[in-house]
């Protein structure tokens, strides 16, 4: 890099301060890509027409696949008369990573015959969200569903009140377990954590993300994981009520359905009687934030200035260390390693048969590039909605600025949609794909490698693009995929959480 380029990169945070803040990942207008990078395809997509037969097939629910939810264990599940002590876990990451950690924590407590303390959620370093377990999940429901499996308490008794995150952050403590390997076995916990419980009556495990294996586990423990994930973890009432309101307004976009509030309280939409001709809607999780854009090392069409800005961001956040950086943009795209832009997701949906009358709910945090990038998607799907467009600021007051609660609302709406589409793999993708598979619901998983190759081909006609997309996604719409060794049962619930009917 020349001296002039180095100076320019160093000045970028001063010239464009919002580019490097967590509060606003939107890039300045002059740095944005044009509305359409794939203008030939976009022009055809805007003029697309779909038949009634195509629409009917698209929105038809999945046929029964011979599997049903099954979380009852063959072994009698009982809580031991005497607890071996208290287990604490401290969970980092976003909502869905924490969700998986909670499930694993219950199983670890079961393995150790210990009492689980309601898991403590760490402050998210990216979104600065300090939401607690109690802020997100219905604690009483959680404890009640699992009362016959594991003893759970909301907080430690006074004699252990010293066991806090701050206590473990100031020095090495004998009650902290910080050496749990990734995907540790049940035997590892019995050998390494049981002695700590016996000596001190308490053990705090941190870090805890992905610290329990998915393989070689007794069936009753796998079933317990499923029970936590699919039955015990319910969102707090105000998240469910807001989610119900959004769902109602998506299905019934009339003036009655869009009534926002009465004296700042949500309408009791759950009491509404079903109407004839209830509308269908799809949820799109558009995972295209600045971290994804920067970490992918892909080119998103913003030109030299955007590329330099992303390079600077990588340097500041990760010291320039990005796994994909040794590959060219063409190599990354053909390998399916580039997150789909809003425009590319729109073209995918259009090719699959979604028309411009589709009610699309956008489940995402702030999108890199802001409204200018989203506008390409919006032009293809003008009936696109999100939390802001569907609910008043009063209704959103309890979740404003809280990434975990915002994600919880999106998760709830996503679980009640006719079709869910995840633009790029990640924790939200994994959790939703698994949960909807468990309930046999249609879920479209983009074929990233195929799409990357198609978007590199600038000579494709719309017919050729559409034909390739449809063929490449025939078996990516919620079909049961049995879990393989080392894969997560939270993404692949069959056969661990499901039985053949």
């Amino acid at each position: 890099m020349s001296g002039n380029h180095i100076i320019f990169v160093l000045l970028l945070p001063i010239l464009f301060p919002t580019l490097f803040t967590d509060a606003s990942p939107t890039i300045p207008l002059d740095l944005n890509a044009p509305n359409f990078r794939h203008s030939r395809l976009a022009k055809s997509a805007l003029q697309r027409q779909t038949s009634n037969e195509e629409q009917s097939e698209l929105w038809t629910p999945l046929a029964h696949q011979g599997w049903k939810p099954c979380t009852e264990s063959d072994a009698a599940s009982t809580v031991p008369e005497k607890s071996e002590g208290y287990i604490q876990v401290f969970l980092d990451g976003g909502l869905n990573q924490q969700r998986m950690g909670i499930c694993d924590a219950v199983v670890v407590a079961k393995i150790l015959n210990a009492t689980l303390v309601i898991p403590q959620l760490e402050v998210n370093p990216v979104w600065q969200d300090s939401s607690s377990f109690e802020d997100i999940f219905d604690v009483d429901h959680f404890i009640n569903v699992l009362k016959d499996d594991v003893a759970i308490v909301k907080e430690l008794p006074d004699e252990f009140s010293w066991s806090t995150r701050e206590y473990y952050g100031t020095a090495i403590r004998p009650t902290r377990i910080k050496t749990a390997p990734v995907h540790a076995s049940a035997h590892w916990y019995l050998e390494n954590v049981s002695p700590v419980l016996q000596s001190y009556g308490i053990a705090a495990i941190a870090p805890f993300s992905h610290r329990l294996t998915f393989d070689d586990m007794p069936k009753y423990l796998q079933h317990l994981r499923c029970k936590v994930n699919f039955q015990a973890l319910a969102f707090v009432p105000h998240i469910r009520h807001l989610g119900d309101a959004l769902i109602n307004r998506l299905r019934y976009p009339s003036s009655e359905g869009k009534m926002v509030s009465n004296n700042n309280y949500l309408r009791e939409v759950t009491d509404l009687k079903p109407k004839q001709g209830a509308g269908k809607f799809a949820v799109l999780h558009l995972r295209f934030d600045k971290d994804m854009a920067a970490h992918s090392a892909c080119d998103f069409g913003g030109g030299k200035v955007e590329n330099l800005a992303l390079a600077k961001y990588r340097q500041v956040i990760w010291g320039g260390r990005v796994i994909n950086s040794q590959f060219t943009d063409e190599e990354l795209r053909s390998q399916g390693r580039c997150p789909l832009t809003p425009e590319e997701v729109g073209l995918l949906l259009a090719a699959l048969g979604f028309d411009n009358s589709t009610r699309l709910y956008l489940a995402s945090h702030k999108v890199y590039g802001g409204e200018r990038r989203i506008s390409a998607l919006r032009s293809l799907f003008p009936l696109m909605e999100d939390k802001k467009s569907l609910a008043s600021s009063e209704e959103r007051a309890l979740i404003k600025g809280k990434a975990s609660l915002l994600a919880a609302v999106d998760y709830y709406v996503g679980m009640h949609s006719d079709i869910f589409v995840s633009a790029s793999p990640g924790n939200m993708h994994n959790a939703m794909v698994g949960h909807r598979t468990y309930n046999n619901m249609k879920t479209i998983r983009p074929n990233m490698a195929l799409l990357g190759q198609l978007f590199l081909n600038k000579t494709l006609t719309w017919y050729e693009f559409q034909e390739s997309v449809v063929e490449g996604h025939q078996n990516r719409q919620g079909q049961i995929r049995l879990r393989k060794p080392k894969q997560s049962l939270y993404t692949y619930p069959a056969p661990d959480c499901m039985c053949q009917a």
Side-chain angles (χ1 to χ4, degrees):
M1 187 181 288
S2 69
N4 288 338
H5 279 155
I6 292 172
I7 292 171
F8 179 74
V9 170
L10 292 175
L11 286 174
L12 274 170
I14 299 170
L15 295 173
F16 307 111
T18 59
L19 191 60
F20 300 96
T21 63
D22 284 329
S24 178
T26 302
I27 59 179
L29 289 179
D30 59 334
L31 296 186
N32 276 295
N35 275 353
F36 287 108
R37 281 187 84 188
H38 310 286
S39 55
R40 291 180 71 236
L41 292 176
K43 183 179 179 181
S44 298
L46 287 167
Q47 299 170 350
R48 72 196 185 280
Q49 292 184 335
T50 57
S51 67
N52 290 337
E53 184 180 352
E54 288 173 312
Q55 286 294 298
S56 176
E57 183 179 349
L58 178 66
W59 292 102
T60 298
L62 284 176
H64 182 60
Q65 299 183 67
W67 292 83
K68 65 177 182 178
C70 181
T71 56
E72 294 303 318
S73 174
D74 294 336
S77 189
T78 57
V79 176
E81 290 184 12
K82 182 180 182 301
S83 170
E84 296 296 322
Y86 293 93
I87 288 292
Q88 282 180 292
V89 296
F90 300 92
L91 301 175
D92 55 11
L95 171 71
N96 294 293
Q97 184 174 326
Q98 290 171 339
R99 183 187 186 102
M100 298 169 197
I102 292 165
C103 299
D104 288 348
V106 171
V107 175
V108 167
K110 182 72 172 178
I111 291 168
L112 298 169
N113 285 333
T115 299
L116 177 68
V117 184
I118 289 293
Q120 184 170 326
L121 311 185
E122 302 281 65
V123 175
N124 189 299
V126 176
W127 307 118
Q128 294 299 306
D129 185 356
S130 58
S131 298
S132 67
F133 185 105
E134 295 87 343
D135 292 329
I136 304 169
F137 299 107
D138 187 328
V139 178
D140 292 332
H141 175 82
F142 180 76
I143 293 174
N144 184 59
V145 169
L146 299 172
K147 67 181 186 298
D148 295 328
D149 301 286
V150 178
I152 303 173
V153 295
K154 295 181 181 180
E155 56 186 27
L156 285 167
D158 290 342
E159 63 187 289
F160 293 113
S161 60
W162 47 265
S163 184
T164 63
R165 193 70 181 92
E166 293 70 29
Y167 172 77
Y168 294 110
T170 55
I172 296 174
R173 310 292 187 183
T175 51
R176 179 184 174 185
I177 310 296
K178 60 185 299 186
T179 56
V182 173
H183 299 152
S185 67
H187 181 71
W188 187 92
Y189 282 97
L190 290 169
E191 280 217 329
N192 294 276
V193 183
S194 282
V196 176
L197 287 174
Q198 291 166 8
S199 298
Y200 301 98
I202 188 170
I205 311 173
F208 189 69
S209 294
H210 312 296
R211 289 309 193 274
L212 184 63
T213 184
F214 289 107
D215 300 321
D216 302 318
M217 292 279 283
K219 185 181 288 187
Y220 78 95
L221 291 179
Q222 297 287 64
H223 281 175
L224 180 56
R225 260 177 162 155
C226 307
K227 185 175 183 178
V228 181
N229 193 36
F230 301 125
Q231 296 179 24
L233 285 176
F235 294 123
V236 292
H238 77 82
I239 289 177
R240 301 199 305 270
H241 290 165
L242 177 56
D244 285 333
L246 301 183
I247 293 161
N248 184 65
R249 292 163 198 171
L250 286 162
R251 292 211 183 280
Y252 312 112
S254 63
S255 56
E256 181 186 359
K258 290 191 72 111
M259 186 183 296
V260 174
S261 63
N262 179 19
N263 298 326
N264 294 334
Y265 289 97
L266 283 173
R267 296 171 67 219
E268 286 296 326
V269 295
T270 52
D271 292 336
L272 291 177
K273 293 181 180 179
K275 303 179 181 69
Q276 281 191 332
K280 297 181 182 295
F281 72 95
V283 167
L284 167 64
H285 181 238
L286 188 61
R287 191 167 182 243
F288 193 72
D289 56 38
K290 63 176 179 179
D291 275 10
M292 279 286 289
H295 205 267
S296 69
C298 300
D299 183 343
F300 299 105
K304 185 180 294 186
V305 175
E306 180 179 89
N307 290 338
L308 287 171
L310 290 174
K312 175 62 178 176
Y313 183 80
R314 292 182 199 112
Q315 190 63 42
V316 170
I317 302 299
W318 302 297
R321 295 184 297 276
V322 179
I323 295 174
N324 293 336
S325 57
Q326 70 269 32
F327 298 103
T328 66
D329 182 70
E330 289 76 13
E331 289 171 331
L332 292 173
R333 290 191 180 280
S334 60
Q335 295 168 15
R337 297 193 186 187
C338 292
L340 298 175
T341 65
E343 175 191 352
E344 290 167 346
V345 173
L347 292 172
L348 162 66
L349 296 181
L352 288 173
F354 292 90
D355 64 16
N356 60 9
S357 69
T358 300
R359 298 197 66 79
L360 191 64
Y361 176 86
L362 190 59
S364 298
H365 203 69
K366 292 180 180 177
V367 173
Y368 182 70
E371 180 57 36
R372 187 165 172 83
R373 267 210 170 101
I374 295 175
S375 65
L377 174 63
R378 196 182 301 280
S379 66
L380 292 166
F381 297 97
L383 300 184
M384 188 168 71
E385 307 274 11
D386 58 19
K387 291 179 288 293
K388 261 189 177 177
S389 68
L390 287 171
S392 69
S393 57
E394 290 84 4
E395 288 175 310
R396 292 181 281 108
L398 291 175
I399 64 172
K400 185 178 180 181
K402 298 177 180 178
S404 293
L405 301 187
L406 292 165
V409 171
D410 285 342
Y411 191 103
Y412 185 86
V413 175
M415 278 306 301
H416 290 79
S417 64
D418 299 282
I419 302 174
F420 181 84
V421 185
S422 182
S424 300
N427 288 322
M428 175 75 159
H429 165 97
N430 294 340
M432 288 296 298
V433 166
H435 205 155
R436 288 177 66 90
T437 297
Y438 182 75
N439 289 333
N440 197 46
M441 302 171 76
K442 187 169 282 190
T443 308
I444 295 174
R445 298 179 299 110
N447 186 331
M448 303 293 286
L450 170 67
L451 291 168
Q453 293 161 21
L454 293 177
F455 287 128
L456 283 171
N457 186 343
K458 302 302 182 184
T459 64
L460 274 183
T461 65
W462 174 253
Y463 176 79
E464 292 168 332
F465 176 76
Q466 186 175 32
E467 189 176 44
S468 295
V469 166
V470 170
E471 184 180 345
H473 289 82
Q474 283 181 346
N475 295 312
R476 302 179 70 88
Q477 301 193 28
Q479 288 81 2
I480 293 283
R481 294 173 295 155
L482 299 184
R483 187 179 74 84
K484 298 176 183 177
K486 298 185 179 180
Q487 288 183 330
S488 167
L489 66 74
Y490 304 124
T491 309
Y492 305 94
D496 301 274
C497 306
M498 305 181 76
C499 305
Q500 288 186 292

